[in-house]
Structures are given as structure tokens and as C-alpha cells.
Amino acid sequence: MKTIGLIGGMGWESSKLYYEQINRKVNEVLGGSHSAKIIMVSVDFAEIEKLTFANDWDSIGNIVANSAQQLERAGADMVVLCTNLIHIVSNTIIKNISIPFLHIANATGEAVLEQQIKKVLLLGTKYTMEKDFYTKTLEDTYRLEISIPNEEDRNSIHNIIYRELLKGIFTETSKRSIIRIIEKAQLDGVEGVILGCTELNIIIKEEDVGITTFDTGNIHANTAIQWSLNDSSK
């Protein structure tokens, strides 16, 4: 079993789900009292949030690259960044480590292809929806048609994420708001929805929307498990 290195804290709610999911699945596969080999470095989200709003991606890149180096020095065999948005600086991480980095967009793209779906709605922070670090991978590598909400709806989702979900606040009003956005996209022909913020799966479930949902945190964690347990992993 390889050791999984997790960079968490963005926010800690979803980092907790990664840790739980990985350990539960490893136990299901191996049985007995087995659990996963995990090393975690958790950052202070307040610092990341401040730099995000300042569009200071270079400083964020330095912080998470340093965290990745800490994981490598501690003996991790791979690095998993427990958030969607901060993959915007994934190239900085990759340049500063010699162990594999498991990109969440690649894991998600593979999961969408397995469902034989071509047109998907991408939800997340406005940076995730508007910048191309995520959509470019899905479009160029996996040939998916990516739809994003209109500007008003993008701002609404962004505010729900930062003002509520990342603070551990989950309201029925916000849930209904996101469901309405998904239902509008269905009328435009989307076949599935990518929950491109690792907190969105806490508030939106597939049974809530009647459309295939892609829980990126769960998908990412399962990819890490496969790498950990497969001796022939890349």
C-alpha cells in the first residue's frame, strides 16, 4: 500500500470527508482492521482566502507547493490536493515535487467518460467556473462540452460557497437556489453536473436533482485509493 499525501484545510469540512472516504474504502477492499496510510498537511484557510480574493495565485502556489514538499519529505508516495479551485496552481506543485500529483480534473474527466456523458454543467467558485485551468482539461483531454451558469447564478453559487459552505453553514434556501440553477441547465440539454467544489456534495445529492452528479471530492479520493492499492500505478 502506498502512502497518500493530503493537502487539506480548504476547507476542513471537505478535508475530513477525504480522510473518512479513503479509510472506509481501503477497509472495504482489504477487510479486517486495515486503514489507509495517510499523511496530511492542513493549511490555514483564512490566509488562502485572503490571497484568493487578491488574485495572488503566486503566493498561494508557494504555500501549497511547500505543503506538497512537506508531504514528500515525510514519506508520501503521491500528493492529493483536497479542493478544486486551488488546482489552479497545480503546475507550481508539480514543478516542486518528484512524486505523482493526482489532478482532480483528470479524475473527474475519467468519471464523466465512464458514464458516456458529453455535455455537463460545471458548478464551483466563480474562479473555477470562469478560468480555464479546469474546463480546458475537461474539454481538451476528455472532449467534453462544458456548460457554466450565467453571471448572476455564478455569483450566487460563489457567495454560497464562501459565505456558507466553507464556514460549515448549510441551509435549505441555498440548496433550493442551487437546484434551480441545475434545473435551468437541464432545459439547455446538460446530461450531468460536476460539483466542482468539494463542499457542494454536502448540500446537493443526486436524488435532489434527478440528473447524474459527479462528486469531485469522492471521485478524487477514490482515484487516490486506486493508486495506493495498485502496485502498477503511474
Side-chain angles (χ1 to χ4, degrees):
M1 184 193 307
K2 295 180 177 67
T3 300
I4 300 170
L6 300 178
I7 303 177
M10 299 168 279
W12 68 264
E13 291 275 357
S14 59
S15 304
K16 176 183 67 175
L17 295 178
Y18 268 81
Y19 185 82
E20 181 178 12
Q21 169 71 11
I22 291 170
N23 277 295
R24 285 187 184 279
K25 187 64 177 179
V26 166
N27 182 258
E28 287 176 15
V29 173
L30 299 181
S33 57
H34 283 286
S35 58
K37 294 181 178 179
I38 294 174
I39 303 169
M40 177 180 278
V41 173
S42 192
V43 303
D44 179 3
F45 182 65
E47 184 177 4
I48 299 293
E49 183 180 45
K50 180 180 178 180
L51 293 170
T52 299
F53 291 154
N55 285 303
D56 189 352
W57 304 108
D58 288 341
S59 293
I60 293 174
N62 291 335
I63 291 170
V64 293
N66 180 66
S67 296
Q69 290 173 330
Q70 287 181 267
L71 291 171
E72 184 171 10
R73 289 195 300 269
D77 295 303
M78 69 196 79
V79 172
V80 176
L81 182 59
C82 304
T83 172
N84 282 269
L85 169 59
I86 307 304
H87 279 75
I88 195 171
V89 297
S90 57
N91 287 338
T92 303
I93 298 173
I94 293 167
K95 286 190 301 185
N96 283 279
I97 58 175
S98 59
I99 56 178
F101 175 77
L102 279 60
H103 199 295
I104 198 167
N106 286 320
T108 300
E110 294 286 351
V112 175
L113 285 186
E114 286 177 7
Q115 295 297 315
Q116 298 184 320
I117 287 174
K118 294 298 293 182
K119 185 173 183 179
V120 287
L121 175 68
L122 173 62
L123 301 182
T125 69
K126 66 180 181 181
Y127 308 108
T128 301
M129 293 184 284
E130 294 173 1
K131 293 182 180 291
D132 69 357
F133 74 96
Y134 207 106
T135 56
K136 187 173 177 61
T137 296
L138 296 174
E139 292 171 341
D140 293 355
T141 304
Y142 299 97
R143 302 300 177 189
L144 300 174
E145 182 181 350
I146 304 302
S147 174
I148 61 173
N150 61 38
E151 183 176 7
E152 180 182 355
D153 289 341
R154 292 198 302 271
N155 288 334
S156 174
I157 294 171
H158 181 85
N159 289 334
I160 289 170
I161 290 171
Y162 273 100
R163 295 175 183 175
E164 299 179 19
L165 305 188
L166 286 168
K167 300 181 186 300
I169 300 169
F170 308 99
T171 69
E172 191 63 30
T173 299
S174 292
K175 178 176 180 175
R176 288 197 300 269
S177 177
I178 295 171
I179 289 173
R180 284 195 295 270
I181 292 169
I182 295 171
E183 289 173 343
K184 281 197 293 186
Q186 286 181 263
L187 296 176
D188 193 39
V190 301
E191 304 167 272
V193 53
I194 294 171
L195 302 178
C197 168
T198 46
E199 276 76 23
L200 281 172
N201 72 297
I202 302 173
I203 195 171
I204 298 294
K205 307 297 182 185
E206 189 161 308
E207 56 266 26
D208 296 324
V209 294
I211 190 173
T212 302
T213 61
F214 296 93
D215 174 354
T216 53
N218 184 61
I219 292 166
H220 201 201
N222 282 335
T223 301
I225 294 162
Q226 291 167 14
W227 279 50
S228 175
L229 298 181
N230 183 359
D231 289 338
S232 63
S233 294
K234 299 176 185 177

